[in-house]
Amino acid sequence: MTSAYFDNNATTPIDPEVFEAMEPFLRGGFGNPSSPHSLGRAAREALENARHSVARLIGAEAGEIIFTSCGTESNNAAIASALQMDPDRIGVVTTQVEHSAVLKPLEHAARRGGAVVTRLPVSNDGIVDCNAFEAALDDGTALASVMWANNETGVISPIARLAAIAQAKGVLFHTDAVQAVGKVPISVADLPIHFLSISGHKLYAPKGIGALYVRSGTRFHPLLRGGGQENERRGGTENVALAVALGKACDLAGARLDADSQHVTSLRDRFEQTALEIPGVYRNGHPTLRLAGTSNLTFEGVDSEAILLLLDQAGFSVSAGSACTSGSLHPSHVLTGMGLPTERARGALRFSFGRFNTLAEIERLVETLPSIIAKVREMRPKPTPTAGVSATLGVVQK
Ligand code: PLP
């Protein structure tokens, strides 16, 4: 059985060109970029070239890029820094559909009394209201944080308008752009954004590398203090091989932005054309303001975990909600935040297409999917007086 991977929002495979660029720094080019000898200097040069590549993809200056260990760290660092800026500003305005890598550090700060968090609702399409956003910002707001694109639905936020509103109110603006970088054009030079988070493994680099853009002139309090690396903004010896990988991934993404986008659009359109013909299947999220490669569909009357398992057996990797929360049967906070009833949120699957998917894989998927849905619907437990226990999956529904 040949398998097909449709979970590119969870993580992407490593592009062979990225692997090739990185490999020498895992072998002979192992120098510490802070060392003054030739091995160290070669590592430094590679690191700074990679920094330029990351900056170029988002329209930043190299000096505005800090390498981090992942998107989660980038989000944590931006939030922690903004909350240390001014003791009179502890408000943070965000949305109900952010990734846990934003919501959890904010919850933690709020519990410790270091932040007052406003989580704005979103429309049924998944978009935050700009007027509500404006009304929520005041003199006590330390930071506004709104994701560029949602990991579950692909819905794209009106970032330019939100950033302009924050600027007019004198509030720092952060965007978790982990799902957007490399998929949509981004130019921070043209937008009043102070912080932007990037993660390597969403754009064909390995896991364990990320970056944080910090606008020049923005005061920054490091999360990790140590040896003064990253221009005193993140202690810890830089992971040169992974930084090189991220730099190469950014070069490739920049060169292929249009081609990649057209490719995944055609795959998604072919997929949705057939999938939405199955009775009781609905699309979640804005139909056009979303990432080209993300399709979030609800299969009415069934638990998405059951479809996921059968698709997996048939060789297709997809996701039920966010990968970070799968394994729990709680409905996705993103979908319930968009007003989906619990039952519809439980039946949602995310198909996320990427650079290495082919039309042939999509044809196999659309051939297989209808019979899997029919099978899961047949297996659906008949209503009994003891409600709440699923005979099929043997799990207690919460
Ligand atoms: N933000 C978003 C929107 C994401 O989708 C993810 C990963 O799923 C993250 C942050 C976390 O990134 P990382 O896995 O690099 O920590």
PDB file of all heavy atoms in Angstrom, residues 11 13 25 42 82 108 143 147 158 189 210 215 220 231 254 266 269 272 286 295 308 325 330-331 349 351 359 364 376:
ATOM      1  N   THR A  11       3.099  19.066  10.354  1.00  0.00           N
ATOM      2  CA  THR A  11       4.531  19.174  10.069  1.00  0.00           C
ATOM      3  C   THR A  11       4.749  18.786   8.610  1.00  0.00           C
ATOM      4  O   THR A  11       3.963  18.009   8.052  1.00  0.00           O
ATOM      5  CB  THR A  11       5.383  18.292  11.007  1.00  0.00           C
ATOM      6  OG1 THR A  11       6.755  18.684  10.903  1.00  0.00           O
ATOM      7  CG2 THR A  11       5.271  16.812  10.686  1.00  0.00           C
ATOM      8  N   PRO A  13       7.342  17.273   5.464  1.00  0.00           N
ATOM      9  CA  PRO A  13       8.581  16.513   5.249  1.00  0.00           C
ATOM     10  C   PRO A  13       9.734  17.488   4.991  1.00  0.00           C
ATOM     11  O   PRO A  13       9.493  18.646   4.622  1.00  0.00           O
ATOM     12  CB  PRO A  13       8.276  15.690   3.995  1.00  0.00           C
ATOM     13  CG  PRO A  13       7.099  16.326   3.341  1.00  0.00           C
ATOM     14  CD  PRO A  13       6.363  17.101   4.376  1.00  0.00           C
ATOM     15  N   PHE A  25      26.914  20.785   8.083  1.00  0.00           N
ATOM     16  CA  PHE A  25      27.091  21.390   9.409  1.00  0.00           C
ATOM     17  C   PHE A  25      26.801  20.392  10.540  1.00  0.00           C
ATOM     18  O   PHE A  25      26.980  20.695  11.715  1.00  0.00           O
ATOM     19  CB  PHE A  25      26.218  22.653   9.522  1.00  0.00           C
ATOM     20  CG  PHE A  25      26.639  23.681   8.499  1.00  0.00           C
ATOM     21  CD1 PHE A  25      26.013  23.737   7.259  1.00  0.00           C
ATOM     22  CD2 PHE A  25      27.706  24.518   8.755  1.00  0.00           C
ATOM     23  CE1 PHE A  25      26.440  24.637   6.297  1.00  0.00           C
ATOM     24  CE2 PHE A  25      28.144  25.419   7.800  1.00  0.00           C
ATOM     25  CZ  PHE A  25      27.513  25.482   6.562  1.00  0.00           C
ATOM     26  N   ALA A  42      33.561  29.913   9.954  1.00  0.00           N
ATOM     27  CA  ALA A  42      32.757  29.343   8.856  1.00  0.00           C
ATOM     28  C   ALA A  42      31.309  29.123   9.342  1.00  0.00           C
ATOM     29  O   ALA A  42      30.340  29.387   8.611  1.00  0.00           O
ATOM     30  CB  ALA A  42      33.362  28.023   8.389  1.00  0.00           C
ATOM     31  N   ALA A  82       6.953  41.526  25.919  1.00  0.00           N
ATOM     32  CA  ALA A  82       5.975  42.636  25.924  1.00  0.00           C
ATOM     33  C   ALA A  82       5.443  42.878  27.332  1.00  0.00           C
ATOM     34  O   ALA A  82       5.203  44.025  27.724  1.00  0.00           O
ATOM     35  CB  ALA A  82       4.837  42.319  24.960  1.00  0.00           C
ATOM     36  N   HIS A 108      -0.976  31.277  31.766  1.00  0.00           N
ATOM     37  CA  HIS A 108      -0.002  31.175  32.852  1.00  0.00           C
ATOM     38  C   HIS A 108       0.289  32.561  33.444  1.00  0.00           C
ATOM     39  O   HIS A 108       0.280  32.738  34.670  1.00  0.00           O
ATOM     40  CB  HIS A 108       1.283  30.536  32.310  1.00  0.00           C
ATOM     41  CG  HIS A 108       2.343  30.340  33.330  1.00  0.00           C
ATOM     42  ND1 HIS A 108       2.230  29.434  34.351  1.00  0.00           N
ATOM     43  CD2 HIS A 108       3.533  30.962  33.502  1.00  0.00           C
ATOM     44  CE1 HIS A 108       3.312  29.496  35.111  1.00  0.00           C
ATOM     45  NE2 HIS A 108       4.114  30.413  34.615  1.00  0.00           N
ATOM     46  N   LEU A 143       0.136  44.258  24.784  1.00  0.00           N
ATOM     47  CA  LEU A 143       0.353  43.518  23.534  1.00  0.00           C
ATOM     48  C   LEU A 143      -0.976  43.095  22.924  1.00  0.00           C
ATOM     49  O   LEU A 143      -1.911  42.723  23.638  1.00  0.00           O
ATOM     50  CB  LEU A 143       1.178  42.243  23.818  1.00  0.00           C
ATOM     51  CG  LEU A 143       1.563  41.384  22.622  1.00  0.00           C
ATOM     52  CD1 LEU A 143       2.623  42.073  21.757  1.00  0.00           C
ATOM     53  CD2 LEU A 143       2.086  40.015  23.062  1.00  0.00           C
ATOM     54  N   MET A 147      -3.109  35.594  15.307  1.00  0.00           N
ATOM     55  CA  MET A 147      -2.386  34.727  14.367  1.00  0.00           C
ATOM     56  C   MET A 147      -2.632  35.152  12.918  1.00  0.00           C
ATOM     57  O   MET A 147      -3.710  35.643  12.581  1.00  0.00           O
ATOM     58  CB  MET A 147      -2.767  33.264  14.587  1.00  0.00           C
ATOM     59  CG  MET A 147      -4.182  32.915  14.223  1.00  0.00           C
ATOM     60  SD  MET A 147      -4.815  31.393  15.031  1.00  0.00           S
ATOM     61  CE  MET A 147      -3.459  30.254  14.972  1.00  0.00           C
ATOM     62  N   PRO A 158      -7.215  39.558   9.086  1.00  0.00           N
ATOM     63  CA  PRO A 158      -6.938  40.849   8.416  1.00  0.00           C
ATOM     64  C   PRO A 158      -5.763  41.549   9.094  1.00  0.00           C
ATOM     65  O   PRO A 158      -5.918  42.575   9.764  1.00  0.00           O
ATOM     66  CB  PRO A 158      -8.254  41.621   8.603  1.00  0.00           C
ATOM     67  CG  PRO A 158      -8.884  41.035   9.821  1.00  0.00           C
ATOM     68  CD  PRO A 158      -8.427  39.610   9.929  1.00  0.00           C
ATOM     69  N   ALA A 189       8.181  45.003   6.453  1.00  0.00           N
ATOM     70  CA  ALA A 189       8.648  46.375   6.215  1.00  0.00           C
ATOM     71  C   ALA A 189       7.450  47.291   5.946  1.00  0.00           C
ATOM     72  O   ALA A 189       7.497  48.489   6.236  1.00  0.00           O
ATOM     73  CB  ALA A 189       9.602  46.405   5.026  1.00  0.00           C
ATOM     74  N   GLY A 210      13.205  27.633  14.928  1.00  0.00           N
ATOM     75  CA  GLY A 210      12.214  28.671  14.659  1.00  0.00           C
ATOM     76  C   GLY A 210      12.921  30.005  14.604  1.00  0.00           C
ATOM     77  O   GLY A 210      14.162  30.079  14.683  1.00  0.00           O
ATOM     78  N   ARG A 215      10.931  43.866  15.494  1.00  0.00           N
ATOM     79  CA  ARG A 215      11.123  45.099  14.726  1.00  0.00           C
ATOM     80  C   ARG A 215      12.248  45.937  15.325  1.00  0.00           C
ATOM     81  O   ARG A 215      12.332  46.104  16.544  1.00  0.00           O
ATOM     82  CB  ARG A 215       9.821  45.909  14.730  1.00  0.00           C
ATOM     83  CG  ARG A 215       9.885  47.134  13.888  1.00  0.00           C
ATOM     84  CD  ARG A 215       8.518  47.805  13.751  1.00  0.00           C
ATOM     85  NE  ARG A 215       8.456  48.396  12.441  1.00  0.00           N
ATOM     86  CZ  ARG A 215       8.067  47.760  11.351  1.00  0.00           C
ATOM     87  NH1 ARG A 215       7.649  46.525  11.408  1.00  0.00           N
ATOM     88  NH2 ARG A 215       8.099  48.364  10.193  1.00  0.00           N
ATOM     89  N   PHE A 220      13.520  44.681  23.765  1.00  0.00           N
ATOM     90  CA  PHE A 220      13.304  43.231  23.854  1.00  0.00           C
ATOM     91  C   PHE A 220      13.964  42.676  25.102  1.00  0.00           C
ATOM     92  O   PHE A 220      15.127  42.956  25.379  1.00  0.00           O
ATOM     93  CB  PHE A 220      13.869  42.537  22.607  1.00  0.00           C
ATOM     94  CG  PHE A 220      13.595  41.062  22.572  1.00  0.00           C
ATOM     95  CD1 PHE A 220      12.308  40.590  22.330  1.00  0.00           C
ATOM     96  CD2 PHE A 220      14.601  40.142  22.813  1.00  0.00           C
ATOM     97  CE1 PHE A 220      12.039  39.226  22.315  1.00  0.00           C
ATOM     98  CE2 PHE A 220      14.340  38.777  22.807  1.00  0.00           C
ATOM     99  CZ  PHE A 220      13.052  38.330  22.551  1.00  0.00           C
ATOM    100  N   ASN A 231      22.990  38.396  19.540  1.00  0.00           N
ATOM    101  CA  ASN A 231      23.054  39.820  19.883  1.00  0.00           C
ATOM    102  C   ASN A 231      22.398  40.108  21.238  1.00  0.00           C
ATOM    103  O   ASN A 231      21.609  41.056  21.361  1.00  0.00           O
ATOM    104  CB  ASN A 231      22.393  40.630  18.760  1.00  0.00           C
ATOM    105  CG  ASN A 231      22.982  42.001  18.647  1.00  0.00           C
ATOM    106  OD1 ASN A 231      23.953  42.315  19.347  1.00  0.00           O
ATOM    107  ND2 ASN A 231      22.405  42.829  17.799  1.00  0.00           N
ATOM    108  N   GLY A 254      10.532  31.304  -0.868  1.00  0.00           N
ATOM    109  CA  GLY A 254      10.444  32.585  -1.579  1.00  0.00           C
ATOM    110  C   GLY A 254      10.417  32.378  -3.086  1.00  0.00           C
ATOM    111  O   GLY A 254       9.610  32.985  -3.797  1.00  0.00           O
ATOM    112  N   SER A 266      -4.800  23.731  -6.559  1.00  0.00           N
ATOM    113  CA  SER A 266      -5.439  22.794  -7.497  1.00  0.00           C
ATOM    114  C   SER A 266      -5.740  21.458  -6.809  1.00  0.00           C
ATOM    115  O   SER A 266      -6.783  20.850  -7.048  1.00  0.00           O
ATOM    116  CB  SER A 266      -4.596  22.607  -8.752  1.00  0.00           C
ATOM    117  OG  SER A 266      -3.374  22.018  -8.411  1.00  0.00           O
ATOM    118  N   ASP A 269      -8.805  22.107  -4.478  1.00  0.00           N
ATOM    119  CA  ASP A 269     -10.052  22.278  -5.227  1.00  0.00           C
ATOM    120  C   ASP A 269     -10.560  20.936  -5.755  1.00  0.00           C
ATOM    121  O   ASP A 269     -11.758  20.652  -5.697  1.00  0.00           O
ATOM    122  CB  ASP A 269      -9.860  23.273  -6.377  1.00  0.00           C
ATOM    123  CG  ASP A 269      -9.730  24.702  -5.860  1.00  0.00           C
ATOM    124  OD1 ASP A 269      -9.977  24.917  -4.646  1.00  0.00           O
ATOM    125  OD2 ASP A 269      -9.369  25.594  -6.652  1.00  0.00           O
ATOM    126  N   GLU A 272     -11.959  19.084  -2.664  1.00  0.00           N
ATOM    127  CA  GLU A 272     -13.229  19.609  -2.128  1.00  0.00           C
ATOM    128  C   GLU A 272     -14.386  19.384  -3.098  1.00  0.00           C
ATOM    129  O   GLU A 272     -15.519  19.146  -2.664  1.00  0.00           O
ATOM    130  CB  GLU A 272     -13.082  21.098  -1.785  1.00  0.00           C
ATOM    131  CG  GLU A 272     -12.245  21.316  -0.529  1.00  0.00           C
ATOM    132  CD  GLU A 272     -12.301  22.734   0.005  1.00  0.00           C
ATOM    133  OE1 GLU A 272     -12.883  23.618  -0.647  1.00  0.00           O
ATOM    134  OE2 GLU A 272     -11.748  22.950   1.118  1.00  0.00           O
ATOM    135  N   HIS A 286     -13.737  30.389   6.508  1.00  0.00           N
ATOM    136  CA  HIS A 286     -14.051  31.261   5.377  1.00  0.00           C
ATOM    137  C   HIS A 286     -13.708  30.567   4.053  1.00  0.00           C
ATOM    138  O   HIS A 286     -12.625  29.982   3.933  1.00  0.00           O
ATOM    139  CB  HIS A 286     -13.261  32.573   5.514  1.00  0.00           C
ATOM    140  CG  HIS A 286     -13.811  33.664   4.673  1.00  0.00           C
ATOM    141  ND1 HIS A 286     -13.588  33.723   3.313  1.00  0.00           N
ATOM    142  CD2 HIS A 286     -14.593  34.728   4.975  1.00  0.00           C
ATOM    143  CE1 HIS A 286     -14.200  34.782   2.827  1.00  0.00           C
ATOM    144  NE2 HIS A 286     -14.826  35.410   3.809  1.00  0.00           N
ATOM    145  N   SER A 295      -7.983  22.345   4.122  1.00  0.00           N
ATOM    146  CA  SER A 295      -9.407  22.070   3.957  1.00  0.00           C
ATOM    147  C   SER A 295      -9.905  21.431   5.245  1.00  0.00           C
ATOM    148  O   SER A 295      -9.490  20.330   5.604  1.00  0.00           O
ATOM    149  CB  SER A 295      -9.599  21.103   2.779  1.00  0.00           C
ATOM    150  OG  SER A 295     -10.964  20.908   2.543  1.00  0.00           O
ATOM    151  N   LEU A 308     -10.562   9.115  10.812  1.00  0.00           N
ATOM    152  CA  LEU A 308      -9.100   9.244  10.796  1.00  0.00           C
ATOM    153  C   LEU A 308      -8.427   7.863  10.850  1.00  0.00           C
ATOM    154  O   LEU A 308      -7.493   7.581  10.099  1.00  0.00           O
ATOM    155  CB  LEU A 308      -8.665  10.106  11.982  1.00  0.00           C
ATOM    156  CG  LEU A 308      -7.193  10.466  12.090  1.00  0.00           C
ATOM    157  CD1 LEU A 308      -7.049  11.882  12.625  1.00  0.00           C
ATOM    158  CD2 LEU A 308      -6.446   9.520  12.996  1.00  0.00           C
ATOM    159  N   THR A 325      -3.627  18.574  20.008  1.00  0.00           N
ATOM    160  CA  THR A 325      -4.691  18.213  20.939  1.00  0.00           C
ATOM    161  C   THR A 325      -5.345  16.893  20.563  1.00  0.00           C
ATOM    162  O   THR A 325      -6.260  16.461  21.225  1.00  0.00           O
ATOM    163  CB  THR A 325      -5.787  19.304  21.000  1.00  0.00           C
ATOM    164  OG1 THR A 325      -6.232  19.543  19.673  1.00  0.00           O
ATOM    165  CG2 THR A 325      -5.281  20.579  21.615  1.00  0.00           C
ATOM    166  N   HIS A 330     -11.844  16.063  23.277  1.00  0.00           N
ATOM    167  CA  HIS A 330     -12.467  17.378  23.401  1.00  0.00           C
ATOM    168  C   HIS A 330     -12.614  17.981  22.016  1.00  0.00           C
ATOM    169  O   HIS A 330     -11.686  17.922  21.218  1.00  0.00           O
ATOM    170  CB  HIS A 330     -11.602  18.309  24.258  1.00  0.00           C
ATOM    171  CG  HIS A 330     -11.512  17.859  25.681  1.00  0.00           C
ATOM    172  ND1 HIS A 330     -12.577  17.933  26.527  1.00  0.00           N
ATOM    173  CD2 HIS A 330     -10.492  17.326  26.383  1.00  0.00           C
ATOM    174  CE1 HIS A 330     -12.213  17.455  27.717  1.00  0.00           C
ATOM    175  NE2 HIS A 330     -10.955  17.071  27.645  1.00  0.00           N
ATOM    176  N   PRO A 331     -13.780  18.572  21.749  1.00  0.00           N
ATOM    177  CA  PRO A 331     -13.892  19.223  20.438  1.00  0.00           C
ATOM    178  C   PRO A 331     -12.915  20.382  20.345  1.00  0.00           C
ATOM    179  O   PRO A 331     -12.539  20.974  21.354  1.00  0.00           O
ATOM    180  CB  PRO A 331     -15.341  19.713  20.415  1.00  0.00           C
ATOM    181  CG  PRO A 331     -15.778  19.767  21.834  1.00  0.00           C
ATOM    182  CD  PRO A 331     -14.972  18.745  22.582  1.00  0.00           C
ATOM    183  N   LEU A 349     -12.506  17.064  10.244  1.00  0.00           N
ATOM    184  CA  LEU A 349     -11.173  16.573   9.869  1.00  0.00           C
ATOM    185  C   LEU A 349     -10.440  17.663   9.111  1.00  0.00           C
ATOM    186  O   LEU A 349     -11.053  18.413   8.347  1.00  0.00           O
ATOM    187  CB  LEU A 349     -11.282  15.374   8.933  1.00  0.00           C
ATOM    188  CG  LEU A 349     -11.571  14.012   9.520  1.00  0.00           C
ATOM    189  CD1 LEU A 349     -11.649  12.990   8.386  1.00  0.00           C
ATOM    190  CD2 LEU A 349     -10.475  13.584  10.491  1.00  0.00           C
ATOM    191  N   PHE A 351      -7.565  18.346   6.326  1.00  0.00           N
ATOM    192  CA  PHE A 351      -6.711  17.842   5.253  1.00  0.00           C
ATOM    193  C   PHE A 351      -5.788  18.989   4.884  1.00  0.00           C
ATOM    194  O   PHE A 351      -6.268  20.066   4.513  1.00  0.00           O
ATOM    195  CB  PHE A 351      -7.547  17.449   4.032  1.00  0.00           C
ATOM    196  CG  PHE A 351      -8.577  16.374   4.320  1.00  0.00           C
ATOM    197  CD1 PHE A 351      -9.786  16.686   4.933  1.00  0.00           C
ATOM    198  CD2 PHE A 351      -8.326  15.051   3.993  1.00  0.00           C
ATOM    199  CE1 PHE A 351     -10.724  15.706   5.210  1.00  0.00           C
ATOM    200  CE2 PHE A 351      -9.257  14.059   4.268  1.00  0.00           C
ATOM    201  CZ  PHE A 351     -10.472  14.383   4.880  1.00  0.00           C
ATOM    202  N   LEU A 359      -1.492  15.015  -7.648  1.00  0.00           N
ATOM    203  CA  LEU A 359      -2.894  14.867  -8.027  1.00  0.00           C
ATOM    204  C   LEU A 359      -3.320  13.398  -7.946  1.00  0.00           C
ATOM    205  O   LEU A 359      -4.456  13.084  -7.573  1.00  0.00           O
ATOM    206  CB  LEU A 359      -3.095  15.431  -9.442  1.00  0.00           C
ATOM    207  CG  LEU A 359      -4.542  15.641  -9.874  1.00  0.00           C
ATOM    208  CD1 LEU A 359      -5.298  16.536  -8.905  1.00  0.00           C
ATOM    209  CD2 LEU A 359      -4.597  16.245 -11.279  1.00  0.00           C
ATOM    210  N   ARG A 364      -6.770   9.164  -5.443  1.00  0.00           N
ATOM    211  CA  ARG A 364      -6.951   7.956  -4.607  1.00  0.00           C
ATOM    212  C   ARG A 364      -7.771   8.291  -3.367  1.00  0.00           C
ATOM    213  O   ARG A 364      -8.631   7.528  -2.944  1.00  0.00           O
ATOM    214  CB  ARG A 364      -5.585   7.390  -4.176  1.00  0.00           C
ATOM    215  CG  ARG A 364      -4.931   6.534  -5.245  1.00  0.00           C
ATOM    216  CD  ARG A 364      -3.931   5.581  -4.642  1.00  0.00           C
ATOM    217  NE  ARG A 364      -2.737   6.279  -4.179  1.00  0.00           N
ATOM    218  CZ  ARG A 364      -2.306   6.279  -2.926  1.00  0.00           C
ATOM    219  NH1 ARG A 364      -2.957   5.593  -2.003  1.00  0.00           N
ATOM    220  NH2 ARG A 364      -1.226   6.952  -2.606  1.00  0.00           N
ATOM    221  N   VAL A 376     -18.281   4.295   8.387  1.00  0.00           N
ATOM    222  CA  VAL A 376     -18.309   4.855   9.750  1.00  0.00           C
ATOM    223  C   VAL A 376     -19.743   5.195  10.137  1.00  0.00           C
ATOM    224  O   VAL A 376     -20.157   4.972  11.283  1.00  0.00           O
ATOM    225  CB  VAL A 376     -17.393   6.102   9.845  1.00  0.00           C
ATOM    226  CG1 VAL A 376     -17.492   6.729  11.231  1.00  0.00           C
ATOM    227  CG2 VAL A 376     -15.953   5.742   9.551  1.00  0.00           C
TER     228      VAL A 376
END
